[in-house]
Amino acid sequence: MNFLNNVSIKHKHFIILCFVVCGLALTAFASVYQFERIVSLSNILLVKEKLSVDVLLLRKHEKDFLARKDTAYNEKFQKTVEHLQANINDLTESLERESLDTPQAEVLSDLVLKYNKTFQQLVALKIEIGLDPVSGLYGSLRSAVHGIEGLAKEADEYEILYHMLMLRRNEKDFMLRRNPKYMGKFNSNISKFENALVAIQPEQLDQMRLGLDKYQADFKLLFDKESELGLNADLGLMKELQVTVDETELALDSLSQFVSTEIEAAKINGY
């Protein structure tokens, strides 16, 4: 205080002015920093939107593959996964630059890996089952049926053709309706077919039995593979895919809320 008493009014005004200028400079610096932070956080939200678009593209490729049974959509799926992982890396770097401690980026990366792994399992199953009537188990079933029908026609055994027709009906009903009850009907008609073979004792009986055994084994394998895939959207790999997508969307929403909160805080601190 004694010091100020010895300072002239002019110098006092100068000192006060210096303090005011320093205060304004510090305030301006803080505001600029907060505004830059807002811009950076807004860019993080932009990356998040890119991630959301990539996830939608993955769902589109998944649905296209299931509908069209074309492996070209799996290739598109893989390219989108690579693009998505690159965006997640950008997100991670952006979060680190802002010193934001959030697990969403790592969670998203893990979910994408899980989604891709499950989808690849689904693709492998669909290929094993058959992408068209002549490939996979579909083709094997078709070949076994044609073999038995050919033998029955050569022997003029129309009762055997009838039993074969009933089995084919069970097979098609299962493929169309994806209901496990048709497995029971199939097994029942297999027994009737076997009884007919015993009763009729047709020519080439051994070949027919071999063909029937192959057909039965292939259909059982088809049933098991379709069950693993999921007979509806709430079962098997189909359910796993949906759960993973739901978890991914929740993680993206959580990230958006977190960053939006940080932006609001930066706006408040900037004024």
Side-chain angles (χ1 to χ4, degrees):
M1 294 298 294
N2 292 331
F3 168 75
L4 292 176
N5 290 333
N6 297 326
V7 176
S8 66
I9 297 297
K10 181 180 179 180
H11 287 156
K12 287 180 180 179
H13 287 170
F14 179 75
I15 292 172
I16 292 172
L17 180 61
C18 288
F19 278 117
V20 170
V21 171
C22 289
L24 289 174
L26 289 173
T27 302
F29 176 78
S31 295
V32 169
Y33 169 77
Q34 292 300 331
F35 284 131
E36 288 179 348
R37 181 173 170 79
I38 290 171
V39 171
S40 180
L41 291 171
S42 298
N43 288 334
I44 292 176
L45 282 181
L46 179 60
V47 174
K48 175 264 171 185
E49 291 303 318
K50 291 180 180 179
L51 295 177
S52 296
V53 171
D54 286 338
V55 171
L56 288 175
L57 278 175
L58 289 180
R59 288 295 277 172
K60 180 180 183 298
H61 298 326
E62 172 198 332
K63 300 302 181 185
D64 284 341
F65 172 77
L66 290 172
R68 297 176 174 83
K69 299 179 181 179
D70 188 340
T71 54
Y73 293 106
N74 185 36
E75 295 174 7
K76 293 181 178 181
F77 188 96
Q78 291 300 309
K79 290 180 180 178
T80 304
V81 166
E82 293 174 3
H83 189 260
L84 182 52
Q85 287 289 8
N87 282 332
I88 290 176
N89 291 337
D90 289 343
L91 173 65
T92 301
E93 293 174 1
S94 298
L95 290 171
E96 289 176 351
R97 279 197 300 270
E98 293 302 319
S99 300
L100 294 177
D101 184 17
T102 176
Q104 273 85 358
E106 184 177 352
V107 169
L108 285 170
S109 181
D110 291 342
L111 286 170
V112 170
L113 290 174
K114 179 181 178 183
Y115 188 14
N116 186 36
K117 180 181 178 182
T118 305
F119 184 69
Q120 294 312 307
Q121 291 174 332
L122 181 146
V123 171
L125 272 177
K126 292 296 290 185
I127 292 174
E128 188 173 359
I129 289 169
L131 298 179
D132 55 55
V134 296
S135 65
L137 289 171
Y138 287 163
S140 184
L141 287 166
R142 182 189 182 97
S143 177
V145 167
H146 288 172
I148 295 172
E149 287 178 342
L151 292 172
K153 288 177 182 179
E154 288 178 8
D156 290 329
E157 294 292 352
Y158 293 101
E159 183 176 351
I160 291 176
L161 287 173
Y162 165 77
H163 287 296
M164 190 70 257
L165 179 63
M166 294 304 295
L167 289 174
R168 285 289 273 176
R169 179 180 178 182
N170 299 149
E171 174 196 331
K172 298 304 180 184
D173 282 342
F174 172 72
M175 291 179 180
L176 180 64
R177 297 177 174 84
R178 306 182 68 78
N179 191 318
K181 73 178 183 180
Y182 293 107
M183 186 65 190
K185 292 184 177 183
F186 181 89
N187 289 332
S188 176
N189 283 323
I190 279 286
S191 296
K192 292 177 182 178
F193 198 142
E194 290 173 341
N195 291 335
L197 288 177
V198 172
I200 298 172
Q201 290 290 312
E203 295 180 12
Q204 299 179 313
L205 174 62
D206 291 339
Q207 291 92 322
M208 287 187 184
R209 279 179 171 165
L210 287 174
L212 184 61
D213 289 344
K214 181 69 167 61
Y215 181 60
Q216 183 179 14
D218 284 344
F219 185 74
K220 176 62 168 59
L221 186 57
L222 173 69
F223 179 84
D224 292 341
K225 295 299 179 181
E226 290 283 14
S227 298
E228 185 179 350
L229 180 67
L231 296 181
N232 59 52
D234 295 322
L235 297 171
L237 290 176
M238 299 298 294
K239 175 67 173 180
E240 288 187 34
L241 284 174
Q242 185 59 55
V243 169
T244 303
V245 170
D246 290 343
E247 291 175 347
T248 302
E249 291 175 348
L250 286 174
L252 287 170
D253 289 342
S254 178
L255 174 65
S256 181
Q257 292 173 6
F258 176 81
V259 176
S260 295
T261 300
E262 291 292 324
I263 289 176
E264 290 303 316
K267 287 179 179 179
I268 294 172
N269 294 329
Y271 293 106

